Amino acid sequence: MAHNTNRPIHPARMSLAEVEATWRVDGETPLPECTYDPELHTGLRLTIESTEERAAREAVAREVCGTCPALLFCALYALETRPATGIWAGQTPAEIAAHAAEVEDLEVA
């Protein structure tokens, strides 16, 4: 399934071919942890979560991200693409935006 390259896509929503093409490191493909349980990182597709359910799911997703072999790549990608939803490199979109603002402030100074 091809995706629009102008829109960010969470690795959990990529096909295996897209993951292999995007996440190749030194000739190997360390599968991002989110590929094993995509809804953990992106939310349930057909279910509305309560605030408490989302917080619990995101807490687990953050823990899983901490052991991911693609953590650094994911963090850099998230800073570049500024995703609107999901957990990326253990961070929410709001946390990523705040980190990006800090980086931009450092670059200006």
Side-chain angles (χ1 to χ4, degrees), residues 5-87:
T5 58
N6 295 324
R7 291 183 52 217
I9 183 170
H10 196 283
R13 298 284 190 228
M14 293 179 177
S15 69
L16 182 56
E18 288 172 319
V19 168
E20 290 176 340
T22 304
W23 298 81
R24 188 160 298 275
V25 177
D26 295 329
E28 295 185 21
T29 304
L31 289 180
E33 294 295 331
C34 56
T35 60
Y36 298 105
D37 186 1
E39 290 183 340
L40 176 64
H41 299 270
T42 61
L44 306 174
R45 289 184 183 210
L46 302 176
T47 304
I48 297 174
E49 294 177 297
S50 70
T51 302
E52 295 80 19
E53 290 169 330
R54 178 186 298 166
R57 178 185 50 77
E58 288 181 346
V60 173
R62 289 173 190 266
E63 287 181 34
V64 170
C65 287
T67 62
C68 183
L71 181 66
L72 180 58
F73 182 83
C74 185
L76 294 172
Y77 187 72
L79 282 171
E80 182 179 322
T81 61
R82 311 279 177 88
T85 62
I87 296 294

